[in-house]
Amino acid sequence: LTNDQQATRVATSAATDHVRWAPVATFVVVACALAWLIVLPAWISGEGLQHPLIGVMLTAMMVTPAVSMVVTMLIWRAPSSERLRFLGIWPLRPAPRIILMLVIGLLVPVVVVGVAVLLSGALGLVSLDLVGLSGYHATLAQSVPPGTVLPPAGVLLAAQLVSIPIGALTNSVFAAGEELGWRGWLLPSLRPLGTWPALLITGVVWGLWHSPVILLGYNFGRPDLLGVALMVGGCIAWGILFGWLRLRSGSVWPAVLAHGSLNAVGALVFLLIAAGAVPDMGIVGPLGVVSWAVLAVVAVILAVAGQFRRQPPLAPERTR
């Protein structure tokens, strides 16, 4: 084979019969190393999540999977004519299927998180106040100057819920930095292992990649290996859904929008809790155990319906 033909096989590994482990290892190492490098100032200073630039660090960290993907494809000389198709960036067809998957990607995270919060309340895992909205009232009282006249809390809450699609689109800008790496490059690169191994391994890598901030107490308030384990579990659970969107549509964009939607609705439990309640995010949060259970039901439904068997080619061989 010529160098160009060998490069084509690297770029189209999802269409071959085995995984190209050298590019996969390069991608994982670069992504994780960049994540640690970006958050390193918070560790060195000892300020952790109180570091004044932690927000900038978290945003920059979300770009590292996409940067790693670019570095990996340059090192292994993936031909430019196949990159967009392999990553699921282009072409956007068939259009009806892509549009349907985008709608599903927007709505399903909202439904899953909402069901998880309500289920947590029903099981007594968190104290909710769906009528008086006492927790929401308390949050409003702390966030506005005394004497400020506000609309009824119910109206404000409804406005926030209605604005979730806008928040999903906004968050998708940053979520694309992750999804181009995880579902754009890594998942199809691992697909020769089989759909389920590829989904599970991608979820594990995605979860471990969060370690620099999880070990600072981000997401769960557990700066230890239990926190990392919770993140891995959450990423596996959500990764199955995001991966299905990617594989079923042949496009990365439904997964990007789903990731943005998840980030937009992630704080829902704080809008519905009773005043004084402190939710355990490792249990009732969007990445917590209750959400795993809800997502497991979704995954079983998709599997029984044969949805994981219906996958368009992600990167067919070029015509020689």
Side-chain angles (χ1 to χ4, degrees), residues 11 53 115 140 184 225-226 253 280 289 297:
L53 296 179
V115 170
L140 290 176
L225 293 180
L226 177 57
W253 300 116
D280 184 340
V289 175
V297 173

Side-chain angles (χ1 to χ4, degrees), residues 33-54 56-58 60 212 216:
L34 288 176
W36 276 100
L37 182 63
I38 287 174
V39 184
L40 193 59
W43 282 87
I44 294 176
S45 67
E47 296 175 288
L49 297 180
Q50 302 305 314
H51 193 286
L53 296 179
I54 191 62
V56 176
M57 295 178 199
L58 292 172
L216 290 175

Side-chain angles (χ1 to χ4, degrees), residues 11-233:
T12 60
S13 60
T16 63
D17 58 356
H18 63 281
V19 174
R20 304 287 175 170
W21 288 108
V24 169
T26 301
F27 171 82
V28 172
V29 169
V30 172
C32 292
L34 288 176
W36 276 100
L37 182 63
I38 287 174
V39 184
L40 193 59
W43 282 87
I44 294 176
S45 67
E47 296 175 288
L49 297 180
Q50 302 305 314
H51 193 286
L53 296 179
I54 191 62
V56 176
M57 295 178 199
L58 292 172
T59 301
M61 185 175 163
M62 295 180 71
V63 182
T64 60
V67 173
S68 179
M69 171 267 294
V70 172
V71 171
T72 301
M73 297 189 80
L74 288 176
I75 291 175
W76 296 99
R77 300 177 62 188
S80 58
S81 61
E82 292 291 338
R83 289 174 183 167
L84 296 183
R85 181 183 297 277
F86 181 74
L87 297 172
I89 296 175
W90 192 263
L92 300 178
R93 60 176 184 262
R97 183 174 63 201
I98 300 296
I99 293 173
L100 174 62
M101 290 298 175
L102 286 169
V103 173
I104 293 174
L106 174 65
L107 297 180
V108 170
V110 179
V111 174
V112 169
V113 174
V115 170
V117 170
L118 296 177
L119 182 59
S120 297
L123 295 174
L125 300 173
V126 64
S127 179
L128 302 179
D129 185 359
L130 303 179
V131 178
L133 301 176
S134 57
Y136 190 62
H137 277 288
T139 301
L140 290 176
Q142 295 174 359
S143 59
V144 300
T148 302
V149 178
L150 294 173
V155 174
L156 293 175
L157 178 59
Q160 284 191 259
L161 296 178
V162 170
S163 67
I164 286 176
I166 298 175
L169 291 172
T170 302
N171 280 280
S172 293
V173 175
F174 304 103
E178 288 193 47
E179 290 304 316
L180 285 173
W182 308 131
R183 256 61 62 176
W185 194 89
L186 183 58
L187 178 60
S189 295
L190 294 173
R191 198 170 69 153
L193 295 174
T195 297
W196 284 101
L199 290 170
L200 295 176
I201 293 173
T202 301
V204 170
V205 174
W206 182 26
L208 292 176
W209 169 84
H210 287 87
S211 296
V213 291
I214 298 301
L215 292 173
L216 290 175
Y218 191 65
N219 277 113
F220 308 111
R222 290 182 170 92
D224 50 28
L225 293 180
L226 177 57
V228 174
L230 287 169
M231 193 67 193
V232 170

Side-chain angles (χ1 to χ4, degrees), residues 101-102 104-110 168 172 175 179 238 241-242 245 252-265:
M101 290 298 175
L102 286 169
I104 293 174
L106 174 65
L107 297 180
V108 170
V110 179
S172 293
E179 290 304 316
W238 283 104
L241 175 62
F242 294 174
L245 290 168
V252 73
W253 300 116
V256 169
L257 185 57
H259 196 151
S261 181
L262 171 61
N263 289 349
V265 77

